[in-house]
Amino acid sequence: MAATIIDGKAIASAIRSELAEQVAELAQKGLRPGLAVILVGEDPASVSYVTAKEKACAEIGIASFETRLPQDVPQQKLLDVINAANMDPDVHGILVQLPLPRHIDERAVIRTIHPDKDVDGFTPVNLGRMLLEEPCFLPCTPHGIIELLVRSGVPTSGAHAVVVGRSNIVGKPLANLLIRKSINATLTVCHTGTRDLASHVRSADIVVACAGRPGLVTADMIKPGACVIDVGVNRVPDPSKKQGYRLCGDVDFEAAAQVAGWITPVPGGVGPMTITMLLANTIEACRRLAGSRVS
Ligand code: NAP
């Protein structure tokens, strides 16, 4: 039996229509959500992510303000740009595209973003609030994955979820969201220190592959009927493509789809949801920062 393909593009598009209505309502109150987009260097993947985010903003009426800095920009200059955005009343959300060049301290950069404008949800303040289930901006990729599960009707309560990857931006926050009472999964987190990855994945009702390793999760590791969420975005050389590569996830999609109950494609699964959650957070930031003017 072939799996149900979770169409992240379609789900994201439905949510973006709702968000466009919210932007229109804010416009009637004289408010326009604004996102500062800061890009350092010209890494092609980062440029394409930033372009996609700005296009998504424009489509639903969010203003985006782009700052491009050279690869060798001094760290202090980047911090100055962030501080200016922290002070700018037209900017409600700040996005610094990662990864940053090696001479820049990523943690210092993230800590400089004001938590009220931290629409990526990466600051220690937001991550702490997330852990305590206080109002906060949830990190976009984990939040998008939870929305995919819920909106696709995947049973989560009591399910065994196995997350393969423990990064600060995907694996760790996702693990935290999966064990919230509202989701109620039982959790295993795997990483490079895990012994016998296959045996853990085989026991999963929900597998989330977020390791950035093409082909890491194969069909023989998947329990029949399980839900497979593929977060990986990997560029694999492919001379048949104009750009010389193709994108693939961490899961052997074609074979896994024959075993799984649900599966996300790459591209078109988690990616569109990540951007959508960024839009949602920016609108929420605008609402919060406008405070009494809105209510
Ligand atoms: P990351 O910081 O490189 O973290 C990768 C994690 O996977 C690490 O925790 C690592 O373990 C673990 N890992 C690596 N190889 C493994 C293996 N063979 N077995 C078990 N665990 C392994 O990556 P990230 O930033 O979380 O991103 C992960 C992937 O998701 C990338 O392909 C990225 O492009 C993609 N991504 C997609 C979106 C989207 O919107 N679609 C958003 C963000 C990221 P250790 O901790 O032990 O090193």
Side-chain angles (χ1 to χ4, degrees), residues 37-42 46-48 50-51 54 65-71 73 77 81:
V37 179
I38 302 168
L39 174 64
V40 181
E42 284 167 13
S46 292
V47 171
S48 81
V50 159
T51 307
E54 290 171 340
F65 310 101
E66 184 183 282
T67 304
R68 283 198 188 206
L69 298 167
Q71 179 78 11
V73 67
K77 169 71 183 160
V81 168

Side-chain angles (χ1 to χ4, degrees), residues 63-252:
S64 62
F65 310 101
E66 184 183 282
T67 304
R68 283 198 188 206
L69 298 167
Q71 179 78 11
D72 61 354
V73 67
Q75 176 166 313
Q76 190 54 50
K77 169 71 183 160
L78 173 57
L79 300 186
D80 291 346
V81 168
I82 295 170
N83 276 320
N86 282 338
M87 303 294 289
D88 186 340
D90 292 332
V91 170
H92 306 99
I94 299 172
L95 167 95
V96 180
Q97 185 63 44
L98 302 178
L100 292 166
R102 292 174 69 155
H103 69 280
I104 292 178
D105 177 357
E106 196 169 286
R107 286 179 187 237
V109 169
I110 289 172
R111 280 172 194 271
T112 303
I113 298 170
H114 193 289
D116 292 346
K117 297 191 176 187
D118 172 28
V119 286
D120 260 336
F122 291 165
T123 60
V125 170
N126 266 306
L127 288 169
R129 287 177 183 159
M130 178 191 74
L131 194 73
L132 299 170
E133 301 196 31
E134 292 175 5
C136 65
F137 296 114
L138 295 177
C140 301
T141 302
H143 189 193
I145 292 167
I146 296 293
E147 286 293 323
L148 279 184
L149 293 173
V150 170
R151 289 176 184 249
S152 304
V154 176
T156 59
S157 187
H160 180 208
V162 174
V163 176
V164 185
R166 59 175 166 189
S167 71
N168 289 340
I169 63 171
V170 187
K172 277 187 210 162
L174 176 65
N176 182 259
L177 295 180
L178 284 165
I179 57 166
R180 282 189 171 189
K181 270 235 159 82
S182 56
I183 302 299
N184 231 15
T186 300
L187 181 71
T188 299
V189 180
C190 299
H191 42 76
T192 57
T194 298
R195 274 190 232 130
D196 197 358
L197 177 71
S199 73
H200 289 287
V201 175
R202 236 171 247 134
S203 69
D205 303 303
I206 298 168
V207 185
V208 184
C210 47
R213 298 283 179 275
L216 181 66
V217 176
T218 50
D220 61 307
M221 294 184 188
I222 293 164
K223 178 159 72 167
C227 173
V228 180
I229 304 288
D230 193 351
V231 187
V233 180
N234 306 297
R235 289 183 174 203
V236 180
D238 185 343
S240 74
K241 300 281 179 199
K242 198 173 68 187
Q243 62 273 46
Y245 66 86
R246 67 188 158 81
L247 290 183
C248 74
D250 291 355
V251 178
D252 178 4

Side-chain angles (χ1 to χ4, degrees), residues 16-38:
R16 287 184 202 187
S17 301
E18 295 163 21
L19 295 176
E21 284 170 24
Q22 294 177 23
V23 174
E25 279 166 27
L26 287 170
Q28 287 179 352
K29 293 169 176 153
L31 294 167
R32 183 167 192 213
L35 178 69
V37 179
I38 302 168

